[in-house]
Amino acid sequence: MKASVLAVGTELTSGQITNRNAAWVSKRLSDLGVQTEIHITVADDRTAILEALVLLSQKSDLIFVSGGLGPTSDDFTRELITEWAEQPAEFHEPSWQKIQDRLNARNLPIKDFQKQQCYFPKNSRVLDNSVGTANAFYLTKGTKHLWALPGPPNEILAVWTDHIHSQLEDLTKDLNRYMTVSWDALGLGEAVAPSLIEHIVKDSGAEVGYRVHMPYLEIKLSFYKSEQEKMKPYIAKVEEALKAYTVSRDGDDILNPLNKILLNVPHLFVRDEISEGLLFSRLQTIRTRELTLTTDKSLVAQGKSWQILCHFVNEFEYELELLSPQKKPFKKLITSPFGQVPQMSQRRRQYFTEVTLITAVQHWRD
């Protein structure tokens, strides 16, 4: 089962805003084992929208369209979907009543042009948008399934949660789901990784993929659920080949175990002489109720605090010191694996940041 996402809006094609909806929808589909093969973004142009719908219906089983369902003159996505579906448009009275109720509650004027949000292709299913005026809708054309969604991300979330997720669960219940296992490796370059693993999996039938998200290299193996048992020995061999480099598996973040370690820690003092703010920025994403990150030594009681201290040695080395009430002081000299190449300074800072977090987890967890 293949999916595609069509995002409509001149504000997207002009670069005024970023198309985050396509990535969000694709991630939800991936969680259900559905592959998204195509993303298309088009301006508010009738010909471009219709041509995109025709193309995607030739390539995909599931089509998700976002944007262009509003009340303004450039919101004509529903008209073109109606044309593509070869169905007449029908006025949906409950949608009009909803708009009137919503506007009346806000003391806003009701205009006739707002009725255009209430026309839907015949035989489509109207999906109530609980946080906006533009209802979504769902229809089928032959074997194709199409969902027309509003543009604002919070409205897509509401419609997805209230309607689409359960629909997709039903549609995919018998699906031979496409699944991915992955490793986040540190200190392993793109040029080296294939030589470590591709000979292992060359006869497995799995799709091998790589993604750089500095300073990590993500290595991915994708296959259908029906092949899961067959893949286990291959996965085990890849696991062993990447053992020296693996930091986390299947999209996990090293901050997750660190978060658990620091769950009941009131203050974490950080001295960062090496990453130019990257370390503190990463630590700020930790979400615990009471943890306070600080660089003010006066706020931390001596001998009772948790501390991460990164002391500058030179551009290619630093001394890491970890202090906590439960452990003996820990010190280690960290050296960059990227040598003394000036152009690698940003990568060194990223590497030093992640090694600091990894070492903190290893030391405080033991």
Side-chain angles (χ1 to χ4, degrees):
M1 185 174 285
K2 310 295 185 184
S4 59
V5 183
L6 170 60
V8 177
T10 302
E11 69 275 15
L12 299 172
T13 56
S14 67
Q16 183 179 3
I17 64 172
T18 301
N19 177 19
R20 299 190 305 273
N21 291 341
W24 189 92
V25 169
S26 295
K27 178 60 172 64
R28 307 285 91 66
L29 293 171
S30 178
D31 291 343
L32 291 166
V34 178
Q35 294 173 269
T36 302
E37 293 209 326
I38 306 174
H39 287 177
I40 296 180
T41 304
V42 299
D44 296 311
D45 178 271
R46 292 175 182 272
T47 300
I49 295 171
L50 189 57
E51 288 177 348
L53 287 169
V54 172
L55 173 64
L56 296 182
S57 64
Q58 294 169 348
K59 303 288 186 180
S60 310
D61 307 295
L62 313 178
I63 304 167
F64 296 84
V65 185
S66 67
L69 300 184
T72 58
S73 60
D74 59 351
D75 289 319
F76 37 70
T77 299
R78 70 179 64 248
E79 297 176 32
L80 296 163
I81 292 176
T82 301
E83 181 179 342
W84 168 81
E86 300 177 309
Q87 294 288 343
E90 293 185 338
F91 187 75
H92 187 247
E93 185 62 38
S95 292
W96 178 231
Q97 187 61 54
K98 169 193 167 178
I99 291 173
Q100 294 178 86
D101 292 344
R102 191 177 182 88
L103 296 178
N104 283 330
R106 291 161 174 75
N107 294 316
L108 296 173
I110 299 170
K111 304 292 186 181
D112 277 348
F113 70 82
Q114 291 165 320
K115 287 185 176 180
Q116 77 175 43
Q117 296 179 96
C118 306
Y119 284 91
F120 301 90
K122 185 178 180 180
N123 298 320
S124 63
R125 184 191 307 173
V126 178
L127 307 177
D128 181 63
N129 176 359
S130 61
V131 297
T133 57
N135 283 339
F137 61 93
Y138 161 77
L139 57 81
T140 59
K141 180 182 180 183
T143 61
K144 309 299 179 180
H145 301 260
L146 181 143
W147 289 263
L149 308 170
N154 66 315
E155 297 185 23
I156 290 181
L157 172 60
V159 173
W160 196 279
T161 302
D162 294 342
H163 306 283
I164 298 175
H165 181 73
S166 59
Q167 280 187 276
L168 289 172
E169 281 191 319
D170 186 57
L171 276 173
T172 60
K173 63 184 178 183
D174 298 320
L175 179 67
N176 186 14
R177 297 174 185 267
Y178 201 62
M179 54 192 301
T180 298
V181 296
S182 65
W183 295 259
D184 268 343
L186 187 65
L188 179 63
E190 291 175 270
V192 177
S195 65
L196 290 180
I197 65 166
E198 292 198 0
H199 68 282
I200 296 173
V201 299
K202 66 178 182 179
D203 298 321
S204 69
E207 178 184 357
V208 183
Y210 305 92
R211 179 178 72 96
V212 177
H213 58 116
M214 289 297 179
Y216 295 104
L217 175 65
E218 182 186 27
I219 298 101
K220 299 178 284 186
L221 293 181
S222 299
F223 47 88
Y224 288 100
K225 187 177 181 179
S226 59
E227 301 170 326
Q228 193 170 8
E229 283 300 314
K230 184 189 82 170
M231 285 301 304
K232 283 183 177 179
Y234 294 102
I235 293 171
K237 290 178 182 178
V238 172
E239 178 84 14
E240 183 62 29
L242 297 176
K243 185 176 181 179
Y245 306 96
T246 299
V247 173
S248 59
R249 286 289 313 274
D250 300 325
D252 197 13
D253 190 321
I254 194 64
L255 285 178
N256 292 330
L258 185 59
N259 188 21
K260 294 177 182 178
I261 291 169
L262 298 174
L263 191 60
N264 297 311
V265 174
H267 303 289
L268 176 64
F269 176 78
V270 181
R271 176 181 290 145
D272 176 14
E273 298 178 354
I274 52 97
S275 77
E276 297 185 4
L278 287 177
L279 175 59
F280 204 82
S281 177
R282 283 281 275 144
L283 287 167
Q284 282 180 314
T285 64
I286 287 181
R287 293 292 181 259
T288 57
R289 289 183 302 164
E290 304 295 338
L291 176 65
T292 300
L293 289 174
T294 180
T295 57
D296 186 350
K297 188 74 171 180
S298 66
L299 297 178
V300 181
Q302 276 286 355
K304 297 181 180 179
S305 64
W306 292 63
Q307 302 181 40
I308 297 177
L309 309 175
C310 301
H311 306 289
F312 180 83
V313 176
N314 56 57
E315 188 177 352
F316 315 105
E317 294 178 308
Y318 76 102
E319 183 183 67
L320 173 62
E321 186 175 3
L322 299 172
L323 302 174
S324 65
Q326 292 88 350
K327 292 274 188 176
K328 292 181 179 180
F330 172 89
K331 285 186 180 182
K332 183 178 182 180
L333 184 68
I334 308 295
T335 303
S336 165
F338 301 111
Q340 301 186 11
V341 181
Q343 293 86 348
M344 301 290 266
S345 59
Q346 174 68 8
R347 186 171 293 192
R348 277 192 291 273
R349 289 194 293 272
Q350 293 168 328
Y351 176 82
F352 286 157
T353 296
E354 298 306 309
V355 167
T356 299
L357 299 174
I358 294 163
T359 307
V361 169
Q362 292 171 340
H363 174 66
W364 284 332
R365 185 169 56 188
D366 291 341

